[in-house]
């Protein structure tokens, strides 16, 4: 394992002053924050850096993050990639994606499991000039942690927006330090904390809805059934299962409710999302009720089932699946 100083030295060794550097990312919070950190590290070391997104940002939290922290980034399809002399990949590896595979990277910094076959050349087998620099630490909770260490080692005081981005990257990837967290992740977070804008961080964390989504709440409030401490909600078509998760978590906020189930149609499937305060095992419940009809499972507190509408249509021998049929199917299944 290289020392932190040596990692930083090798990182800088890849670049010259006249380089145009393209940083490619699959835009989740950890990747966005890591890319912003690379941009900061390379400031005044290269001629130009650009952050390229391999897919559009969809989640509202991430849109809020980019907007509030003013993270400069652009869709990769609107960039002429041949104008760039160096390529950096953070929070990902070439085998994760076809777009990543199409680049020959000079630097790869990541925390996902290491896959050697995916590299353009083995670090010990290619010539020094062609040797890419990669720093892969699968034990780390986030790539933001690695980049925070780079900033620390290079004695850069992060700006408030960079610190906020990295803190959010660490928090989301470790799910607030509840999973795969090392002491290093906590130490990095503590280093960033004095520079973090806590109001902005909080606004980003809670921004998981848009005004347009309010219509789903409106619909949910018209179509719920409460029985004892359980609530069942039936939605029509929804754009993705995310809104079902938000609704399911929302209804669990009711102190009388210990178990919430929200069903809706996503594409041509009935998706059922369950949340529980732990008294009833959601995964087992969904598996028992819907396991024969489609895929179903989960943990004690959260679970999900997905049933093709075609299955329900055939089961009840109807031309199309109307809301009442779907409700009947759900209630028949859980009885
Ligand atoms: Mn990550």
């Amino acid at each position: 394992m290289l020392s932190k100083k040596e990692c930083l030295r090798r990182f800088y060794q890849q670049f010259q002053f006249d380089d145009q550097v393209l940083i490619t990312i699959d835009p989740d919070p950890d990747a966005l924050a890591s890319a912003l950190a690379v941009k900061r590290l390379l400031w005044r070391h290269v001629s130009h850096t650009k952050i390229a997104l391999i897919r559009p940002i969809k989640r509202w939290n991430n849109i809020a993050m980019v907007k509030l922290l003013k993270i400069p980034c652009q869709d990769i399809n609107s960039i002429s990639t041949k104008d760039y002399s160096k390529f950096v990949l953070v929070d990902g590896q070439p085998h994760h994606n076809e777009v990543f595979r199409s680049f020959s990277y000079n630097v790869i910094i990541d925390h996902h499991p290491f896959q050697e076959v995916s590299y353009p050349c083995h670090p010990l087998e290619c010539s020094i000039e062609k040797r890419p620099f990669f720093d892969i630490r699968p034990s780390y909770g986030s790539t933001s942690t690695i980049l925070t260490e780079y900033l620390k080692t290079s004695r850069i005081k992060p700006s408030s927006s960079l610190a906020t981005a990295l803190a959010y990257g660490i928090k989301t990837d470790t799910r607030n330090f509840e999973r795969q967290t090392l002491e290093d992740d906590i130490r990095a977070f503590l280093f960033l904390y004095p520079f973090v804008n806590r109001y902005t961080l909080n606004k980003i964390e809670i921004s998981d809805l848009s005004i347009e989504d309010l219509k789903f709440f409106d619909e949910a409030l018209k179509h719920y059934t409460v029985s004892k401490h359980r609530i069942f909600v039936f939605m029509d078509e929804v754009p993705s299962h995310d809104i079902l998760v938000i609704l399911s978590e929302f209804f669990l906020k009711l102190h009388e409710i210990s178990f919430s189930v929200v069903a809706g149609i996503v594409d041509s499937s009935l998706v059922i999302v369950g949340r529980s305060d732990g008294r009833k095992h959601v995964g087992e419940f969904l598996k028992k009720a819907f396991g024969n009809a489609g895929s179903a499972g989960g943990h004690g507190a959260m679970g999900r089932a997905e049933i093709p509408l075609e299955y329900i249509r055939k089961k009840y021998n109807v031309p199309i699946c109307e809301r009442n049929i779907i409700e009947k199917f759900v209630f028949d299944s859980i009885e």
Side-chain angles (χ1 to χ4, degrees):
M1 180 96 179
L2 297 172
S3 73
K4 285 172 185 163
K5 266 199 170 144
E6 183 58 17
C7 282
L8 190 69
R9 199 186 64 78
R10 294 199 188 185
F11 168 81
Y12 278 125
Q13 208 177 39
Q14 301 293 320
F15 303 98
Q16 272 102 45
F17 280 114
D18 58 351
D19 271 329
Q20 308 273 338
V21 181
L22 193 69
I23 308 161
T24 62
I25 52 165
D26 191 346
D28 71 7
D30 188 28
L32 283 161
S34 302
L36 195 62
V38 169
K39 202 172 165 56
R40 175 63 187 87
L41 284 163
L42 292 178
W43 185 51
R44 289 184 173 163
H45 284 264
V46 300
S47 154
H48 178 72
T49 54
K50 178 154 275 170
I51 301 172
L53 312 177
I54 65 156
R55 69 177 96 238
I57 303 177
K58 284 222 174 103
R59 296 191 81 117
W60 297 119
N61 310 76
N62 301 354
I63 289 172
M65 177 186 186
V66 167
K67 199 175 71 186
L68 296 174
L69 302 178
K70 301 189 174 71
I71 300 176
C73 53
Q74 219 174 302
D75 188 321
I76 200 161
N77 296 310
S78 69
I79 295 170
S80 163
T81 55
K82 62 177 189 326
D83 297 343
Y84 290 82
S85 54
K86 297 286 161 68
F87 299 92
V88 176
L89 174 57
V90 284
D91 197 38
Q93 291 171 50
H95 70 276
H96 290 167
N97 190 284
E98 221 175 289
V99 183
F100 290 160
R101 249 195 308 265
S102 69
F103 288 98
S104 175
Y105 288 103
N106 305 88
V107 170
I108 299 170
I109 301 174
D110 187 31
H111 71 126
H112 293 94
F114 180 66
Q115 231 202 57
E116 214 169 284
V117 289
S118 74
Y119 293 89
C121 58
H122 191 278
L124 301 176
E125 283 166 5
C126 54
S127 61
I128 289 182
E129 331 58 272
K130 281 197 174 163
R131 199 171 286 178
F133 168 67
F134 44 88
D135 185 355
I136 318 272
R137 305 186 207 176
S139 61
Y140 274 50
S142 75
T143 306
S144 295
T145 304
I146 308 175
L147 266 312
T148 301
E149 290 181 357
Y150 278 59
L151 292 169
K152 229 168 128 179
T153 309
S154 58
R155 296 176 187 275
I156 293 173
K157 186 181 140 193
S159 69
S160 152
S161 73
L162 176 56
T164 308
L166 288 165
Y168 185 53
I170 296 171
K171 283 188 87 180
T172 45
D173 265 32
T174 62
R175 227 180 258 149
N176 289 321
F177 308 107
E178 281 168 9
R179 70 164 189 207
Q180 227 220 340
T181 308
L182 282 186
E183 238 178 83
D184 305 71
D185 299 306
I186 296 167
R187 222 176 291 131
F189 185 80
L190 288 175
F191 168 78
L192 297 166
Y193 196 68
F195 309 108
V196 169
N197 182 331
R198 295 195 291 281
Y199 302 110
T200 308
L201 180 58
N202 182 52
K203 178 59 187 157
I204 294 168
E205 287 187 304
I206 63 173
S207 296
D208 52 9
L209 290 166
S210 76
I211 290 171
E212 278 207 350
D213 295 328
L214 293 178
K215 64 173 184 277
F216 299 117
F217 278 79
D218 193 38
E219 191 191 339
L221 294 173
K222 283 179 186 139
H223 299 280
Y224 69 83
T225 315
V226 174
S227 114
K228 290 185 201 147
H229 48 264
R230 301 186 197 171
I231 192 164
F232 296 95
V233 185
F234 291 93
M235 304 290 293
D236 259 331
E237 272 185 55
V238 289
S240 78
H241 89 287
D242 291 348
I243 190 75
L244 302 176
V245 169
I246 288 166
L247 287 169
S248 191
E249 286 174 356
F250 169 75
F251 284 107
L252 200 62
K253 285 178 193 270
L254 305 173
H255 82 89
E256 300 95 331
I257 299 296
S258 70
F259 190 69
S260 104
V261 172
V262 180
I265 296 159
V266 183
D267 296 326
S268 51
S269 293
L270 172 67
V271 176
I272 299 154
V273 170
R275 288 293 185 270
S276 157
D277 63 5
R279 275 180 273 174
K280 192 168 176 68
H281 195 289
V282 184
E284 278 167 18
F285 169 85
L286 292 175
K287 218 174 191 169
K288 193 165 155 243
F290 304 105
N292 293 328
S295 63
H299 312 283
M302 52 176 75
R304 178 180 158 171
E306 208 171 317
I307 298 107
L309 286 182
E310 190 55 17
Y311 175 91
I312 304 169
R313 201 188 62 74
K314 277 190 183 148
K315 182 177 168 125
Y316 294 95
N317 197 18
V318 288
I320 44 165
C321 283
E322 308 249 13
R323 187 193 285 262
N324 59 338
I325 293 291
I326 292 172
E327 276 186 45
K328 185 174 162 41
F329 167 74
V330 173
F331 278 115
D332 286 352
S333 307
I334 59 184
E335 236 130 59

